[in-house]
């Protein structure tokens, strides 16, 4: 008997159908089973069974030692007894929250308990509505119309605004902000938005509504401080928030913190959680809309924020990031300090290698460079007391910089501090038959000898915010060291390992 192509296809389709049917029913059973699970997490014991309520209230930020969570929950239940409400905490609140024992009010603890399945510590397992409203502590609701209006708004502006924000009454009006996040440059910049209604973040206490699937598709939806964290993540996705001035939620009658001690405690915790957020997200420099600058990580007291560099490729290049801005700032400071000392003590120096390249390109350190290189005349070393006296050991000078002779070879290194090993390297050269040379060579292609005429004379060049000395005819000097076209064609130091993506 011959089987036609048609019969063959039919048979395959039949088998495929059976397989789908079988696994489909298995899956369904499993979902039903999961929803019947009644494991204890916090205040109540069941996954909510209702659908179609539209919005789940999510309360994430409150302090154990003083909060108005119970009051807020009561006010939402008063409007709608079956309103799904989720209180999310890092660990079980203590003293316990006095929440009503209703199946639609859940407490989810983010810290997994080793005797519970993983879903019990994932708030998204408990949310059945298409939308969530992020509600700050102490905010109450007056009528069902408030959430309904927000819901309407987000539905009609579908696509245009991913989030709708309503202010909390009695506080300053919400500010519409633009947020620019550059992970590559470890930076967040806030500015006042041109619009007062549609922007990438809001400043001020607000109830924020968004689609559940959007919220839980963020990288870290529940990270605190919630609003700062959410708007950093949403702005990276190009989402906008629409401010709804006509809806506003009353705040609790009492102020959130009854004593100045509790206020102080809460402020400190908020500060710590902000620092942790920026640390976790790899943000080291924040510029606020009123142009205040906040630095996170890297100072004289903290270790250099990247480890030992292997194969000329610092670790941040593998994360598609450039040199942290605080490191660039510290390198600029160190370079200015060191060149000033060399100049005043009569040591002839010039910008070398990548530092000269950066000066030629844009008068600054190359944005992914990790140190500063200077050349000096070997015979000038006795002129500088620091260089003269570190033949053995190292010196910490009165500004806290560390001068040392490098263990890797015959060159010197000035570190930003004893703790922070960002550094300027100083390479001594001596002339021999009109060629500048040295005795130890590092394994770098730019580490070659060169005609002395490049140093006669040395010329001033803008670099890292000050005027440094550089070889004359720097273009030929750089092309001699790195190859033709090096100024115009930026590359990472070891393109075999990491290639610079062009056009951004
Ligand atoms: C989740 O986010 C990714 C990108 O961030 C996107 O490609 C994907 O479509 C999103 N999924 C949902 C269900 O929205």
């Amino acid at each position: 008997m011959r089987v036609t192509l048609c019969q063959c296809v039919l048979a395959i389709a039949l088998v495929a159908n059976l397989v789908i049917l079988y696994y489909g029913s298995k899956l369904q059973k499993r979902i039903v089973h999961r929803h019947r699970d009644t494991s204890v997490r916090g205040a109540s014991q069941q996954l909510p069974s209702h659908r179609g309520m539209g919005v789940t209230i999510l309360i994430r930020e409150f302090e154990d030692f003083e909060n108005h969570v119970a009051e807020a929950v009561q006010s939402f239940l008063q409007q709608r007894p079956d309103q799904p409400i989720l209180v999310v905490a890092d660990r079980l609140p203590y003293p316990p929250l006095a929440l009503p024992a209703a199946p639609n009010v859940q407490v989810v603890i983010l810290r997994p308990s080793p005797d519970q399945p993983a879903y019990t510590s994932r708030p998204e397992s408990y949310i059945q509505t298409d939308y969530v409203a992020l509600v700050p502590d102490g905010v109450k609701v007056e009528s069902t119309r408030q959430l309904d209006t927000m819901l309407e708004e987000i539905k009609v502006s579908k696509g245009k605004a991913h989030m709708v924000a309503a202010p909390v009454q009695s506080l300053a009006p919400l500010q519409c902000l633009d947020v620019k996040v550059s992970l590559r440059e470890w930076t967040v910049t806030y500015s006042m938005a041109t619009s007062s209604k549609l922007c990438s973040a809001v400043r001020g206490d607000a109830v924020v509504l968004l689609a559940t699937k959007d919220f839980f598709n963020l990288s870290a939806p529940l990270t605190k401080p919630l609003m700062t964290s959410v708007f950093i993540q949403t702005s990276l996705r190009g989402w906008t928030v629409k401010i709804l001035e006509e809806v506003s939620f009353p705040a609790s009658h009492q102020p959130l913190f009854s004593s100045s001690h509790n206020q102080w405690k809460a402020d400190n915790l908020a500060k710590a959680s902000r620092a942790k957020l920026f640390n976790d997200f790899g943000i080291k420099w924040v510029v606020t809309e009123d142009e205040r600058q906040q630095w996170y990580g890297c100072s004289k007291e903290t270790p250099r924020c990247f480890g030992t560099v292997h194969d000329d490729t610092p670790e941040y290049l593998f994360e598609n990031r450039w040199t942290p801005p605080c490191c660039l700032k510290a390198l600029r400071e160190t370079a200015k300090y060191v060149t000033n000392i060399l100049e005043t003590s009569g040591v002839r120096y010039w910008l070398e290698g990548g530092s000269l390249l950066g000066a030629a390109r844009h008068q600054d350190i190359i944005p992914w460079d990790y140190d500063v290189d200077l050349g000096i005349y070997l015979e000038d070393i006795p002129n500088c007391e620091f260089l003269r006296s570190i033949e053995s050991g190292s010196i910490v000078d009165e500004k806290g910089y560390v001068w040392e002779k490098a263990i890797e070879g015959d060159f010197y290194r000035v570190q930003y501090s004893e703790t922070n090993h960002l550094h300027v390297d100083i390479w001594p050269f001596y002339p021999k038959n009109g060629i500048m040379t040295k005795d130890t060579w590092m394994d770098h292609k730019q580490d070659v000898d060169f005609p002395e005429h490049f140093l006669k004379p040395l010329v001033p060049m803008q670099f890292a915010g000050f005027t440094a000395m550089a070889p004359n005819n720097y273009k030929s000097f750089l092309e001699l060291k790195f190859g033709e076209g090096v100024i115009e064609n930026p590359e990472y130091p070891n393109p075999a390992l990491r290639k610079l993506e062009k056009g951004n």
Side-chain angles (χ1 to χ4, degrees):
M1 186 186 76
R2 281 199 54 180
V3 183
T4 65
L5 180 68
C6 183
Q7 282 169 324
C8 197
V9 169
L10 259 170
I12 290 172
L14 205 76
V15 171
N17 252 315
L18 280 171
V19 169
I20 289 170
L21 215 75
Y22 174 71
Y23 281 103
S25 75
K26 265 189 89 155
L27 196 70
Q28 213 156 22
K29 265 185 212 146
R30 207 175 315 161
I31 291 171
V32 170
H33 174 77
R34 203 188 80 161
H35 281 220
R36 284 215 198 99
D37 193 313
T38 55
S39 39
V40 183
R41 295 299 287 172
S44 53
Q45 314 198 341
Q46 280 174 349
L47 288 168
S49 57
H50 41 258
R51 281 184 170 276
M53 282 304 297
V55 182
T56 296
I57 301 298
L58 201 152
I59 302 177
R60 167 71 177 117
E61 275 183 316
F62 59 90
E63 300 302 345
D64 283 14
F65 54 87
E66 190 167 1
N67 64 67
H68 293 170
V69 173
E71 195 186 338
V73 168
Q74 281 299 353
S75 90
F76 280 98
L77 291 179
Q78 240 158 45
Q79 297 305 323
R80 274 190 185 128
D82 58 350
Q83 170 67 57
I85 299 175
L86 208 59
V87 178
V88 179
D90 294 314
R91 42 195 304 176
L92 194 66
Y94 181 84
L97 301 170
L99 297 181
N104 50 317
V105 179
Q106 304 274 325
V107 178
V108 178
I109 308 304
L110 293 174
R111 175 189 288 188
S113 172
D115 62 343
Q116 295 291 329
Y119 81 84
T120 57
S121 52
R122 292 188 190 133
E124 59 268 44
S125 335
Y126 297 82
I127 296 182
Q128 314 249 320
T129 57
D130 288 344
Y131 293 88
V132 285
L134 313 176
V135 175
D137 187 13
V139 170
K140 299 197 288 186
V141 69
E142 283 171 325
S143 98
T144 53
R145 294 226 359 263
Q146 289 169 303
L147 284 176
D148 291 346
T149 312
M150 292 181 80
L151 205 50
E152 274 312 301
E153 191 62 40
I154 202 161
K155 282 177 180 163
V156 296
S157 67
K158 183 118 193 152
K160 251 193 116 189
H162 278 77
M163 297 167 280
V164 169
V168 174
Q169 245 171 40
S170 81
L171 291 170
L174 288 183
Q175 281 180 322
C176 214
L177 298 182
D178 274 334
V179 191
K180 295 234 160 10
V181 183
S182 169
L183 294 179
R184 199 174 65 179
E185 283 151 278
W186 311 73
T187 300
V188 176
T189 313
Y190 295 94
S191 58
M192 296 302 293
T194 40
S195 154
S196 62
K197 292 254 178 290
L198 200 63
C199 40
S200 47
V202 296
R203 175 87 69 215
D205 266 356
V207 172
V208 174
L209 185 88
L210 73 167
T212 308
K213 73 167 174 36
D214 284 347
F215 183 61
F216 286 102
N217 200 18
L218 295 176
S219 325
L222 295 153
T223 306
K224 294 197 286 187
L226 191 60
M227 286 300 122
T228 310
S229 144
V230 164
F231 291 130
I232 286 175
Q233 297 175 70
T234 54
S235 73
L236 279 167
R237 289 157 175 77
W239 299 358
T240 52
V241 52
K242 182 166 189 193
I243 296 184
L244 264 192
E245 286 291 351
E246 57 272 31
V247 179
S248 80
F249 290 82
S252 169
H253 293 306
Q254 287 103 32
L256 210 44
F257 299 107
S258 55
S259 68
S260 55
H261 176 72
N262 278 1
Q263 183 68 56
W264 171 85
K265 224 160 125 181
D267 289 346
N268 276 351
L269 286 166
K271 221 161 127 188
S273 103
R274 196 174 151 86
K276 183 173 186 311
L277 167 73
F278 289 135
N279 185 48
D280 289 351
F281 281 5
I283 303 293
K284 293 185 180 292
W285 189 24
V286 178
V287 183
T288 59
E289 63 278 14
D290 50 6
E291 286 172 10
R292 276 179 302 130
Q293 305 199 8
Q294 299 160 343
W295 295 92
Y296 293 89
C298 44
S299 69
K300 283 216 169 196
E301 288 74 42
T302 59
R304 182 172 80 169
C305 50
F306 52 92
T308 305
V309 174
H310 297 279
D311 299 320
D312 291 338
T313 309
E315 58 194 55
Y316 48 78
L317 284 185
F318 290 101
E319 300 169 24
N320 294 318
R321 291 180 180 242
W322 288 352
T323 313
C326 44
C327 297
L328 289 173
K329 182 168 161 261
L331 281 174
R332 288 185 196 108
E333 260 174 52
T334 312
K336 186 176 178 181
Y337 178 75
V338 170
T339 53
N340 191 33
I341 288 182
L342 295 178
E343 258 164 46
T344 51
S345 44
V347 175
R348 288 164 291 168
Y349 78 90
W350 59 93
L351 295 174
E352 258 294 341
S355 301
L356 181 63
L357 193 52
R361 281 195 195 132
H362 52 87
Q363 311 186 335
D364 201 355
I365 297 166
I366 294 174
W368 50 83
D369 208 353
Y370 50 88
D371 64 5
V372 168
D373 290 314
L374 303 175
I376 58 168
Y377 271 91
L378 182 69
E379 64 195 72
D380 291 354
I381 286 178
N383 297 348
C384 173
E385 55 158 313
F386 296 123
L387 296 180
R388 196 173 52 221
S389 43
I390 53 175
E391 277 308 317
S392 55
S394 64
I395 296 180
V396 184
D397 71 15
E398 74 273 23
K399 293 267 160 52
Y401 292 92
V402 181
W403 297 70
E404 64 175 22
K405 184 133 190 226
I407 39 171
E408 295 98 324
D410 284 328
F411 66 99
Y412 300 90
R413 179 162 281 179
V414 185
Q415 288 178 355
Y416 188 43
S417 76
E418 280 181 281
T419 313
N420 192 329
H421 294 181
L422 283 166
H423 56 256
V424 173
D425 281 339
I426 303 175
W427 306 90
F429 286 81
Y430 59 89
K432 194 174 171 185
N433 305 324
I435 300 292
M436 295 303 287
T437 188
K438 58 192 171 99
D439 293 335
T440 15
W441 297 94
M442 306 302 284
D443 201 13
H444 295 145
K445 70 172 175 197
Q446 71 269 25
D447 200 20
V448 293
D449 46 19
F450 59 92
E452 193 183 8
H453 65 72
F454 283 112
L455 307 179
K456 304 212 152 197
L458 289 167
V459 297
M461 204 166 172
Q462 287 306 303
F463 175 69
F466 64 100
T467 306
M469 299 310 279
N472 63 70
N473 222 332
Y474 63 81
K475 189 167 176 346
S476 333
F477 182 89
L478 284 167
E479 296 201 327
L480 170 82
K481 294 212 163 199
F482 292 96
E484 213 170 302
V486 66
I487 300 177
E488 301 80 9
N489 302 301
E491 263 302 349
Y492 288 157
N494 189 345
L497 273 184
R498 239 13 229 168
K499 270 192 92 63
L500 177 65
E501 278 173 42
K502 298 289 152 62
N504 55 17

